[in-house]
Amino acid sequence: MTCARCQHSTVKKFGRYGRHRVQRYRCTNCSATFSDPKPVSSLGTMRTSEENAIRAIQCLIEGCSIRSTERMTGLHRDTIMQLLVLAGERAARLLDSRMRYLVCNYIQCDEIWTFCFKKQRRVRKDDPAEFGDQWVFVAMDAETKLIPSFVIGKRNARTTKDFVCDLMLRLDNRPQITTDGFRFYTTEIPRFFGSNIDFAQLVKLYGDYGQHDHAAKYSPSPILETISKVRSGEPDEDHISTSYVERQNLTMRMQMRRLTRLTNAFSKKLDNLKAAIALHFAFYNFCRVHKSLRVTPAMQAGLTDHVWSVAELLKG
């Protein structure tokens, strides 16, 4: 042990202090007192051990709620929320830095609904703008199953513009893009990708249940017909599909408790929702082995050469 003030090497123990009984030392040369240097932690200033933090994050990733994670790990729910926000922020930075100059040939885009604090029909005029409906715009590469881009916001022209712009900045080639029938795609995709993009929309026509059918309360309406509409270019008809990204919607519902329908596990803050979704996509891209690919999407896309651990993901 060396004195931090005079760099003298002769020091003596000088008692302990604090709840964690930290050892103190005293320099025999200048009488300065100091303690052992804190070990470098990937959790910043949080005192939770990395082992408990990783276990809590794994629970959240696998679809557990905050309180069930609290019961399984013994950590307080406020600590778990801090871990979620910390991991989500680092996951967002990781995705922002790694999802660049991508070569994706067939992009599928879709939106998935959720809400923040309260459902849209209960939102009042003086409520914050983040209350009510929130939509997650997701883009997926049909070949590598990679998620190169996602944006969270209202289902309007502004969010669509941000989403398409973000997707364009991350790609390094001219892909074929297929979306659902959302009308704002028809203006924003040609604006950012140019008029020579291969762009098509897959419009689905839904039927209605009978007026007194109780299944209508919980079941989606049946699909009567799908119509392919070529908006620009010459897209390959065999790849005009949104099946993969719609299957990703199911994965999101299953793996994030706050997106599960008919529960009280919904997001109370928009920042927490964004952190959870960023963590999900980072884990999906880098840590989770895709069943059909037998590797992670990031490995299939050539972004990494191994399956990442949650600890590696947390360090960014």
Side-chain angles (χ1 to χ4, degrees):
M1 181 67 65
T2 303
C3 177
R5 178 188 293 179
C6 67
Q7 303 301 318
H8 198 267
S9 60
T10 306
V11 297
K12 293 184 178 180
K13 292 184 179 180
F14 195 67
R16 296 177 179 270
Y17 82 100
R19 180 165 58 96
H20 298 281
R21 308 302 298 163
V22 178
Q23 179 67 57
R24 296 284 294 176
Y25 299 93
R26 184 174 184 176
C27 178
T28 59
N29 182 48
C30 66
S31 300
T33 59
F34 53 92
S35 59
D36 288 325
K38 294 182 179 180
V40 179
S41 173
S42 60
L43 303 178
T45 59
M46 296 188 68
R47 295 182 178 179
T48 306
S49 66
E50 291 189 20
E51 182 180 356
N52 289 338
I54 292 172
R55 186 183 176 194
I57 292 172
Q58 286 176 329
C59 291
L60 296 175
I61 288 172
E62 294 299 331
C64 298
S65 65
I66 297 294
R67 292 183 183 271
S68 62
T69 303
E70 179 182 28
R71 291 189 291 270
M72 288 187 291
T73 62
L75 298 176
H76 193 271
R77 55 184 174 273
D78 292 343
T79 302
I80 297 172
M81 286 303 305
Q82 292 177 12
L83 286 172
L84 172 63
V85 174
L86 175 66
E89 290 175 349
R90 294 185 178 180
R93 290 198 298 267
L94 171 69
L95 292 173
D96 185 59
S97 62
R98 292 296 187 106
M99 298 293 123
R100 298 288 180 181
Y101 308 108
L102 303 174
V103 177
C104 303
N105 295 320
Y106 303 103
I107 294 291
Q108 299 180 6
C109 301
D110 198 18
E111 315 87 49
I112 179 173
W113 170 83
T114 184
F115 66 95
C116 182
F117 195 82
K118 61 176 70 174
K119 291 187 177 179
Q120 190 65 35
R121 65 174 177 268
R122 300 187 182 276
V123 175
R124 300 177 179 178
K125 293 182 179 179
D126 56 345
D127 283 337
E130 68 182 41
F131 284 9
D133 289 351
Q134 296 291 336
W135 292 80
V136 185
F137 287 66
V138 183
M140 171 180 260
D141 180 17
E143 292 181 323
T144 63
K145 309 302 184 293
L146 188 75
I147 305 294
S149 175
F150 67 94
V151 170
I152 304 166
K154 302 295 184 179
R155 196 168 187 255
N156 53 25
R158 180 177 180 179
T159 307
T160 309
K161 176 182 177 182
D162 294 340
F163 171 61
V164 176
C165 178
D166 183 73
L167 176 62
M168 182 269 297
L169 293 175
R170 299 185 185 280
L171 298 180
D172 198 31
N173 67 320
R174 179 178 179 269
Q176 174 176 322
I177 300 179
T178 305
T179 70
D180 58 5
F182 191 42
R183 61 190 179 94
F184 292 116
Y185 284 126
T186 59
T187 56
E188 299 303 331
I189 288 180
R191 175 185 297 180
F192 288 99
F193 284 92
S195 58
N196 62 340
I197 189 70
D198 296 326
F199 169 39
Q201 286 188 303
L202 192 66
V203 181
K204 296 181 178 179
L205 302 180
Y206 295 90
D208 294 325
Y209 281 100
Q211 185 176 2
H212 303 288
D213 193 344
H214 294 288
K217 187 173 182 180
Y218 298 110
S219 301
S221 300
I223 297 177
L224 301 180
E225 185 181 3
T226 58
I227 302 174
S228 299
K229 294 185 177 180
V230 176
R231 297 303 186 184
S232 63
E234 298 180 355
D236 186 353
E237 294 184 0
D238 294 336
H239 292 280
I240 298 178
S241 172
T242 56
S243 299
Y244 290 124
V245 70
E246 289 174 358
R247 178 58 180 83
Q248 170 60 213
N249 290 347
L250 174 61
T251 301
M252 293 175 65
R253 296 264 184 225
M254 297 292 290
Q255 299 300 123
M256 281 186 284
R257 186 63 174 171
R258 63 187 63 239
L259 262 68
T260 305
R261 294 180 181 270
L262 302 177
T263 70
N264 62 352
F266 55 88
S267 298
K268 281 71 176 179
K269 293 175 64 177
L270 184 59
D271 290 340
N272 296 342
L273 175 64
K274 291 181 177 180
I277 291 175
L279 179 60
H280 167 79
F281 283 131
F283 178 81
Y284 173 84
N285 282 337
F286 289 93
C287 303
R288 180 173 174 171
V289 176
H290 198 280
K291 186 175 181 180
S292 62
L293 299 176
R294 299 185 179 180
V295 293
T296 64
M299 293 174 65
Q300 186 71 15
L303 300 179
T304 184
D305 58 355
H306 66 283
V307 179
W308 285 29
S309 64
V310 175
E312 197 173 357
L313 186 69
L314 185 60
K315 293 178 182 178

mmCIF file of all heavy atoms in Angstrom, residues 2-34:
data_model
loop_
_atom_site.group_PDB
_atom_site.id
_atom_site.type_symbol
_atom_site.label_atom_id
_atom_site.label_comp_id
_atom_site.label_asym_id
_atom_site.label_seq_id
_atom_site.Cartn_x
_atom_site.Cartn_y
_atom_site.Cartn_z
ATOM 1 N N THR A 2 0.550 2.188 -0.855
ATOM 2 C CA THR A 2 1.315 3.433 -1.005
ATOM 3 C C THR A 2 0.427 4.617 -0.659
ATOM 4 O O THR A 2 -0.765 4.646 -1.032
ATOM 5 C CB THR A 2 1.850 3.574 -2.437
ATOM 6 O OG1 THR A 2 2.641 2.430 -2.755
ATOM 7 C CG2 THR A 2 2.696 4.823 -2.577
ATOM 8 N N CYS A 3 0.992 5.571 0.036
ATOM 9 C CA CYS A 3 0.237 6.769 0.408
ATOM 10 C C CYS A 3 -0.132 7.552 -0.848
ATOM 11 O O CYS A 3 0.711 7.802 -1.718
ATOM 12 C CB CYS A 3 1.068 7.635 1.351
ATOM 13 S SG CYS A 3 0.253 9.194 1.797
ATOM 14 N N ALA A 4 -1.386 7.980 -0.920
ATOM 15 C CA ALA A 4 -1.850 8.708 -2.103
ATOM 16 C C ALA A 4 -1.317 10.132 -2.136
ATOM 17 O O ALA A 4 -1.261 10.752 -3.194
ATOM 18 C CB ALA A 4 -3.379 8.726 -2.131
ATOM 19 N N ARG A 5 -0.896 10.673 -0.970
ATOM 20 C CA ARG A 5 -0.425 12.062 -0.917
ATOM 21 C C ARG A 5 1.078 12.166 -1.181
ATOM 22 O O ARG A 5 1.517 12.916 -2.054
ATOM 23 C CB ARG A 5 -0.749 12.687 0.433
ATOM 24 C CG ARG A 5 -0.252 14.118 0.581
ATOM 25 C CD ARG A 5 -0.428 14.631 1.997
ATOM 26 N NE ARG A 5 -1.846 14.778 2.336
ATOM 27 C CZ ARG A 5 -2.265 15.197 3.535
ATOM 28 N NH1 ARG A 5 -1.381 15.464 4.486
ATOM 29 N NH2 ARG A 5 -3.560 15.310 3.777
ATOM 30 N N CYS A 6 1.886 11.413 -0.410
ATOM 31 C CA CYS A 6 3.337 11.560 -0.524
ATOM 32 C C CYS A 6 4.018 10.371 -1.188
ATOM 33 O O CYS A 6 5.247 10.356 -1.320
ATOM 34 C CB CYS A 6 3.946 11.787 0.861
ATOM 35 S SG CYS A 6 3.824 10.356 1.970
ATOM 36 N N GLN A 7 3.229 9.362 -1.573
ATOM 37 C CA GLN A 7 3.739 8.170 -2.250
ATOM 38 C C GLN A 7 4.710 7.378 -1.368
ATOM 39 O O GLN A 7 5.517 6.605 -1.868
ATOM 40 C CB GLN A 7 4.425 8.552 -3.578
ATOM 41 C CG GLN A 7 3.540 9.318 -4.549
ATOM 42 C CD GLN A 7 2.291 8.526 -4.939
ATOM 43 O OE1 GLN A 7 2.361 7.333 -5.179
ATOM 44 N NE2 GLN A 7 1.163 9.217 -4.999
ATOM 45 N N HIS A 8 4.620 7.570 -0.064
ATOM 46 C CA HIS A 8 5.454 6.805 0.860
ATOM 47 C C HIS A 8 4.890 5.396 1.007
ATOM 48 O O HIS A 8 3.664 5.214 1.045
ATOM 49 C CB HIS A 8 5.522 7.506 2.222
ATOM 50 C CG HIS A 8 6.652 7.046 3.073
ATOM 51 N ND1 HIS A 8 6.531 6.039 4.006
ATOM 52 C CD2 HIS A 8 7.959 7.451 3.121
ATOM 53 C CE1 HIS A 8 7.696 5.839 4.606
ATOM 54 N NE2 HIS A 8 8.585 6.688 4.092
ATOM 55 N N SER A 9 5.763 4.422 1.118
ATOM 56 C CA SER A 9 5.302 3.033 1.093
ATOM 57 C C SER A 9 5.025 2.453 2.473
ATOM 58 O O SER A 9 4.536 1.333 2.582
ATOM 59 C CB SER A 9 6.341 2.156 0.384
ATOM 60 O OG SER A 9 7.594 2.220 1.054
ATOM 61 N N THR A 10 5.366 3.182 3.543
ATOM 62 C CA THR A 10 5.151 2.670 4.887
ATOM 63 C C THR A 10 3.844 3.220 5.454
ATOM 64 O O THR A 10 3.730 4.412 5.764
ATOM 65 C CB THR A 10 6.313 3.061 5.817
ATOM 66 O OG1 THR A 10 7.549 2.628 5.240
ATOM 67 C CG2 THR A 10 6.142 2.427 7.185
ATOM 68 N N VAL A 11 2.845 2.358 5.539
ATOM 69 C CA VAL A 11 1.541 2.744 6.077
ATOM 70 C C VAL A 11 1.126 1.712 7.109
ATOM 71 O O VAL A 11 1.598 0.566 7.115
ATOM 72 C CB VAL A 11 0.479 2.866 4.965
ATOM 73 C CG1 VAL A 11 0.840 3.960 3.981
ATOM 74 C CG2 VAL A 11 0.296 1.528 4.260
ATOM 75 N N LYS A 12 0.209 2.118 8.018
ATOM 76 C CA LYS A 12 -0.331 1.221 9.027
ATOM 77 C C LYS A 12 -1.853 1.234 8.971
ATOM 78 O O LYS A 12 -2.468 2.224 8.563
ATOM 79 C CB LYS A 12 0.152 1.655 10.417
ATOM 80 C CG LYS A 12 1.634 1.483 10.650
ATOM 81 C CD LYS A 12 1.998 1.849 12.082
ATOM 82 C CE LYS A 12 3.476 1.626 12.341
ATOM 83 N NZ LYS A 12 3.857 1.972 13.746
ATOM 84 N N LYS A 13 -2.434 0.128 9.397
ATOM 85 C CA LYS A 13 -3.888 0.061 9.467
ATOM 86 C C LYS A 13 -4.395 1.067 10.496
ATOM 87 O O LYS A 13 -3.782 1.258 11.554
ATOM 88 C CB LYS A 13 -4.332 -1.347 9.826
ATOM 89 C CG LYS A 13 -4.070 -2.380 8.735
ATOM 90 C CD LYS A 13 -4.632 -3.743 9.110
ATOM 91 C CE LYS A 13 -4.376 -4.751 7.982
ATOM 92 N NZ LYS A 13 -4.919 -6.104 8.315
ATOM 93 N N PHE A 14 -5.557 1.663 10.156
ATOM 94 C CA PHE A 14 -6.078 2.751 10.992
ATOM 95 C C PHE A 14 -7.578 2.561 11.237
ATOM 96 O O PHE A 14 -8.374 3.487 11.116
ATOM 97 C CB PHE A 14 -5.779 4.098 10.313
ATOM 98 C CG PHE A 14 -5.932 5.277 11.219
ATOM 99 C CD1 PHE A 14 -5.077 5.471 12.289
ATOM 100 C CD2 PHE A 14 -6.927 6.217 10.993
ATOM 101 C CE1 PHE A 14 -5.218 6.570 13.126
ATOM 102 C CE2 PHE A 14 -7.076 7.324 11.816
ATOM 103 C CZ PHE A 14 -6.210 7.498 12.893
ATOM 104 N N GLY A 15 -7.964 1.315 11.537
ATOM 105 C CA GLY A 15 -9.359 1.036 11.859
ATOM 106 C C GLY A 15 -10.230 0.862 10.626
ATOM 107 O O GLY A 15 -9.774 0.908 9.480
ATOM 108 N N ARG A 16 -11.519 0.669 10.879
ATOM 109 C CA ARG A 16 -12.521 0.504 9.820
ATOM 110 C C ARG A 16 -13.657 1.479 10.032
ATOM 111 O O ARG A 16 -13.872 1.979 11.155
ATOM 112 C CB ARG A 16 -13.055 -0.934 9.803
ATOM 113 C CG ARG A 16 -12.007 -1.988 9.463
ATOM 114 C CD ARG A 16 -12.590 -3.394 9.541
ATOM 115 N NE ARG A 16 -11.598 -4.396 9.201
ATOM 116 C CZ ARG A 16 -11.353 -4.861 7.992
ATOM 117 N NH1 ARG A 16 -12.054 -4.379 6.964
ATOM 118 N NH2 ARG A 16 -10.441 -5.778 7.780
ATOM 119 N N TYR A 17 -14.429 1.711 8.984
ATOM 120 C CA TYR A 17 -15.561 2.624 9.095
ATOM 121 C C TYR A 17 -16.662 2.185 8.152
ATOM 122 O O TYR A 17 -16.438 1.430 7.203
ATOM 123 C CB TYR A 17 -15.138 4.056 8.770
ATOM 124 C CG TYR A 17 -15.092 4.381 7.291
ATOM 125 C CD1 TYR A 17 -16.126 5.064 6.665
ATOM 126 C CD2 TYR A 17 -14.012 3.963 6.508
ATOM 127 C CE1 TYR A 17 -16.072 5.338 5.308
ATOM 128 C CE2 TYR A 17 -13.951 4.243 5.166
ATOM 129 C CZ TYR A 17 -14.987 4.936 4.568
ATOM 130 O OH TYR A 17 -14.935 5.204 3.222
ATOM 131 N N GLY A 18 -17.862 2.693 8.431
ATOM 132 C CA GLY A 18 -18.983 2.484 7.528
ATOM 133 C C GLY A 18 -19.675 1.142 7.719
ATOM 134 O O GLY A 18 -19.219 0.252 8.438
ATOM 135 N N ARG A 19 -20.805 1.032 7.068
ATOM 136 C CA ARG A 19 -21.621 -0.177 7.152
ATOM 137 C C ARG A 19 -20.900 -1.382 6.585
ATOM 138 O O ARG A 19 -21.105 -2.511 7.025
ATOM 139 C CB ARG A 19 -22.943 0.076 6.395
ATOM 140 C CG ARG A 19 -23.907 -1.096 6.381
ATOM 141 C CD ARG A 19 -25.288 -0.604 5.951
ATOM 142 N NE ARG A 19 -25.233 0.014 4.644
ATOM 143 C CZ ARG A 19 -25.516 -0.626 3.513
ATOM 144 N NH1 ARG A 19 -25.825 -1.902 3.534
ATOM 145 N NH2 ARG A 19 -25.471 0.011 2.352
ATOM 146 N N HIS A 20 -20.063 -1.167 5.582
ATOM 147 C CA HIS A 20 -19.340 -2.264 4.938
ATOM 148 C C HIS A 20 -17.969 -2.506 5.572
ATOM 149 O O HIS A 20 -17.201 -3.320 5.043
ATOM 150 C CB HIS A 20 -19.187 -1.974 3.445
ATOM 151 C CG HIS A 20 -20.494 -1.858 2.726
ATOM 152 N ND1 HIS A 20 -21.242 -2.947 2.347
ATOM 153 C CD2 HIS A 20 -21.201 -0.766 2.330
ATOM 154 C CE1 HIS A 20 -22.342 -2.552 1.734
ATOM 155 N NE2 HIS A 20 -22.347 -1.221 1.718
ATOM 156 N N ARG A 21 -17.666 -1.799 6.682
ATOM 157 C CA ARG A 21 -16.423 -1.997 7.422
ATOM 158 C C ARG A 21 -15.198 -1.880 6.502
ATOM 159 O O ARG A 21 -14.368 -2.783 6.374
ATOM 160 C CB ARG A 21 -16.413 -3.349 8.136
ATOM 161 C CG ARG A 21 -17.623 -3.628 9.012
ATOM 162 C CD ARG A 21 -17.788 -2.562 10.078
ATOM 163 N NE ARG A 21 -16.629 -2.537 10.976
ATOM 164 C CZ ARG A 21 -16.325 -1.532 11.785
ATOM 165 N NH1 ARG A 21 -17.068 -0.420 11.762
ATOM 166 N NH2 ARG A 21 -15.273 -1.596 12.583
ATOM 167 N N VAL A 22 -15.087 -0.751 5.847
ATOM 168 C CA VAL A 22 -13.981 -0.495 4.923
ATOM 169 C C VAL A 22 -12.702 -0.237 5.713
ATOM 170 O O VAL A 22 -12.686 0.554 6.675
ATOM 171 C CB VAL A 22 -14.298 0.710 4.017
ATOM 172 C CG1 VAL A 22 -13.131 1.004 3.090
ATOM 173 C CG2 VAL A 22 -15.565 0.447 3.227
ATOM 174 N N GLN A 23 -11.624 -0.894 5.330
ATOM 175 C CA GLN A 23 -10.342 -0.745 6.015
ATOM 176 C C GLN A 23 -9.719 0.619 5.719
ATOM 177 O O GLN A 23 -9.646 1.043 4.563
ATOM 178 C CB GLN A 23 -9.386 -1.851 5.569
ATOM 179 C CG GLN A 23 -8.012 -1.786 6.203
ATOM 180 C CD GLN A 23 -8.052 -2.056 7.694
ATOM 181 O OE1 GLN A 23 -8.528 -3.096 8.117
ATOM 182 N NE2 GLN A 23 -7.554 -1.100 8.496
ATOM 183 N N ARG A 24 -9.281 1.300 6.786
ATOM 184 C CA ARG A 24 -8.590 2.581 6.663
ATOM 185 C C ARG A 24 -7.097 2.395 6.954
ATOM 186 O O ARG A 24 -6.690 1.475 7.688
ATOM 187 C CB ARG A 24 -9.157 3.608 7.644
ATOM 188 C CG ARG A 24 -10.608 3.971 7.388
ATOM 189 C CD ARG A 24 -10.755 4.886 6.213
ATOM 190 N NE ARG A 24 -10.152 6.204 6.459
ATOM 191 C CZ ARG A 24 -10.075 7.167 5.555
ATOM 192 N NH1 ARG A 24 -10.532 6.965 4.323
ATOM 193 N NH2 ARG A 24 -9.527 8.316 5.860
ATOM 194 N N TYR A 25 -6.262 3.294 6.371
ATOM 195 C CA TYR A 25 -4.812 3.252 6.574
ATOM 196 C C TYR A 25 -4.313 4.658 6.925
ATOM 197 O O TYR A 25 -4.959 5.667 6.594
ATOM 198 C CB TYR A 25 -4.095 2.755 5.310
ATOM 199 C CG TYR A 25 -4.488 1.359 4.897
ATOM 200 C CD1 TYR A 25 -5.515 1.162 3.986
ATOM 201 C CD2 TYR A 25 -3.828 0.249 5.418
ATOM 202 C CE1 TYR A 25 -5.882 -0.118 3.600
ATOM 203 C CE2 TYR A 25 -4.189 -1.037 5.038
ATOM 204 C CZ TYR A 25 -5.222 -1.215 4.126
ATOM 205 O OH TYR A 25 -5.587 -2.484 3.752
ATOM 206 N N ARG A 26 -3.124 4.683 7.600
ATOM 207 C CA ARG A 26 -2.502 5.961 7.955
ATOM 208 C C ARG A 26 -1.032 5.924 7.568
ATOM 209 O O ARG A 26 -0.317 4.957 7.870
ATOM 210 C CB ARG A 26 -2.633 6.233 9.446
ATOM 211 C CG ARG A 26 -2.085 7.591 9.867
ATOM 212 C CD ARG A 26 -2.378 7.858 11.317
ATOM 213 N NE ARG A 26 -1.949 9.206 11.715
ATOM 214 C CZ ARG A 26 -2.161 9.724 12.909
ATOM 215 N NH1 ARG A 26 -2.781 8.997 13.846
ATOM 216 N NH2 ARG A 26 -1.753 10.949 13.189
ATOM 217 N N CYS A 27 -0.607 6.973 6.874
ATOM 218 C CA CYS A 27 0.785 7.063 6.422
ATOM 219 C C CYS A 27 1.673 7.457 7.608
ATOM 220 O O CYS A 27 1.368 8.409 8.337
ATOM 221 C CB CYS A 27 0.905 8.091 5.303
ATOM 222 S SG CYS A 27 2.601 8.324 4.694
ATOM 223 N N THR A 28 2.767 6.724 7.782
ATOM 224 C CA THR A 28 3.704 7.040 8.875
ATOM 225 C C THR A 28 4.582 8.241 8.568
ATOM 226 O O THR A 28 5.239 8.780 9.459
ATOM 227 C CB THR A 28 4.610 5.821 9.145
ATOM 228 O OG1 THR A 28 5.326 5.488 7.942
ATOM 229 C CG2 THR A 28 3.789 4.632 9.601
ATOM 230 N N ASN A 29 4.556 8.703 7.325
ATOM 231 C CA ASN A 29 5.400 9.830 6.923
ATOM 232 C C ASN A 29 4.667 11.160 7.035
ATOM 233 O O ASN A 29 5.159 12.107 7.656
ATOM 234 C CB ASN A 29 5.907 9.626 5.509
ATOM 235 C CG ASN A 29 6.833 10.736 5.041
ATOM 236 O OD1 ASN A 29 7.761 11.113 5.757
ATOM 237 N ND2 ASN A 29 6.589 11.252 3.853
ATOM 238 N N CYS A 30 3.460 11.252 6.438
ATOM 239 C CA CYS A 30 2.717 12.522 6.431
ATOM 240 C C CYS A 30 1.431 12.473 7.242
ATOM 241 O O CYS A 30 0.687 13.458 7.287
ATOM 242 C CB CYS A 30 2.414 12.948 5.007
ATOM 243 S SG CYS A 30 1.275 11.840 4.141
ATOM 244 N N SER A 31 1.132 11.311 7.842
ATOM 245 C CA SER A 31 -0.050 11.123 8.704
ATOM 246 C C SER A 31 -1.375 11.234 7.953
ATOM 247 O O SER A 31 -2.433 11.410 8.564
ATOM 248 C CB SER A 31 -0.039 12.127 9.872
ATOM 249 O OG SER A 31 1.118 11.948 10.675
ATOM 250 N N ALA A 32 -1.343 11.160 6.643
ATOM 251 C CA ALA A 32 -2.590 11.178 5.877
ATOM 252 C C ALA A 32 -3.317 9.840 6.026
ATOM 253 O O ALA A 32 -2.690 8.784 6.160
ATOM 254 C CB ALA A 32 -2.286 11.439 4.409
ATOM 255 N N THR A 33 -4.639 9.890 6.077
ATOM 256 C CA THR A 33 -5.446 8.669 6.179
ATOM 257 C C THR A 33 -6.199 8.450 4.883
ATOM 258 O O THR A 33 -6.638 9.403 4.220
ATOM 259 C CB THR A 33 -6.437 8.768 7.352
ATOM 260 O OG1 THR A 33 -7.290 9.888 7.159
ATOM 261 C CG2 THR A 33 -5.709 8.913 8.677
ATOM 262 N N PHE A 34 -6.392 7.198 4.536
ATOM 263 C CA PHE A 34 -7.081 6.849 3.289
ATOM 264 C C PHE A 34 -7.551 5.406 3.399
ATOM 265 O O PHE A 34 -7.187 4.681 4.350
ATOM 266 C CB PHE A 34 -6.160 7.045 2.079
ATOM 267 C CG PHE A 34 -4.836 6.344 2.207
ATOM 268 C CD1 PHE A 34 -4.666 5.051 1.719
ATOM 269 C CD2 PHE A 34 -3.746 6.975 2.814
ATOM 270 C CE1 PHE A 34 -3.444 4.409 1.845
ATOM 271 C CE2 PHE A 34 -2.531 6.331 2.935
ATOM 272 C CZ PHE A 34 -2.384 5.044 2.454
#
